Each structure stands twice: as structure tokens, then as C-alpha cells.
């Protein structure tokens, strides 16, 4: 799946729509795979409105992993 690919290839830069970011974060949280996202340092969201609750979820997961990532819109 996508989270395994991110981890395997140590993806550091990811451009996606907020809907996909939400799906990735919720799936990773539910399956306890959030540490597999730690290689991504730059998350770029475009094409849709980035909702505040999604930003909160991003930073919640980011803090759990002690990861220094940037979320841009």
C-alpha cells in the first residue's frame, strides 16, 4: 500500500490533495503505522481547502512520532 511505499523508499517530499492526506493519516493512525510516515519532511497540499481539523490531526501525529515535518498549503 501507499504507506509501505513511503516507508520503503523513504519519500521525503509529498504533494497531494487534503482528502488524500486525511485518508493517509487516518489509516496510518488506525493501523498504528504512523511511524512509517516519518521520512516525509515536506507535505504540500493543494487543489482543495485545507481544513483546520486536518491540520490538527497532522500535528497530533507529527508530535507522536517526534517528527519535524512541514505542512504547506
Amino acid at each position: 500500500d501507499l504507506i509501505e511505499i513511503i516507508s520503503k523508499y523513504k519519500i521525503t517530499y509529498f504533494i497531494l490533495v487534503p482528502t488524500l492526506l486525511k485518508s493517509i493519516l487516518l489509516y496510518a493512525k488506525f493501523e498504528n503505522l504512523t511511524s512509517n510516515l516519518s521520512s516525509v519532511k515536506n507535505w504540500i497540499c493543494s487543489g482543495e481547502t485545507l481544513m483546520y481539523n486536518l491540520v490538527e490531526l497532522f500535528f497530533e501525529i507529527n508530535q507522536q512520532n517526534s517528527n519535524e515535518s512541514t505542512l504547506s498549503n
Side-chain angles (χ1 to χ4, degrees):
D1 70 24
L2 183 57
I3 294 175
E4 290 176 14
I5 292 170
I6 291 169
S7 180
K8 179 179 179 180
Y9 293 102
K10 304 209 183 310
I11 304 298
T12 59
Y13 193 89
F14 204 167
I15 301 172
L16 67 171
V17 294
T19 303
L20 181 56
L21 175 63
K22 182 178 180 179
S23 296
I24 290 171
L25 294 177
L26 290 175
Y27 180 78
K29 186 175 179 179
F30 182 75
E31 296 291 331
N32 294 320
L33 298 172
T34 56
S35 63
N36 291 8
L37 302 174
S38 63
S39 67
V40 184
K41 301 301 179 199
N42 293 292
W43 296 84
I44 309 298
C45 287
S46 63
E48 300 172 357
T49 302
L50 183 60
M51 303 302 287
Y52 183 75
N53 61 345
L54 181 54
V55 174
E56 286 181 319
L57 177 62
F58 174 83
F59 285 111
E60 173 192 326
I61 289 173
N62 197 40
Q63 287 178 339
Q64 289 174 357
N65 292 326
S66 300
N67 192 15
E68 294 185 17
S69 295
T70 301
L71 178 62
S72 300
N73 186 12

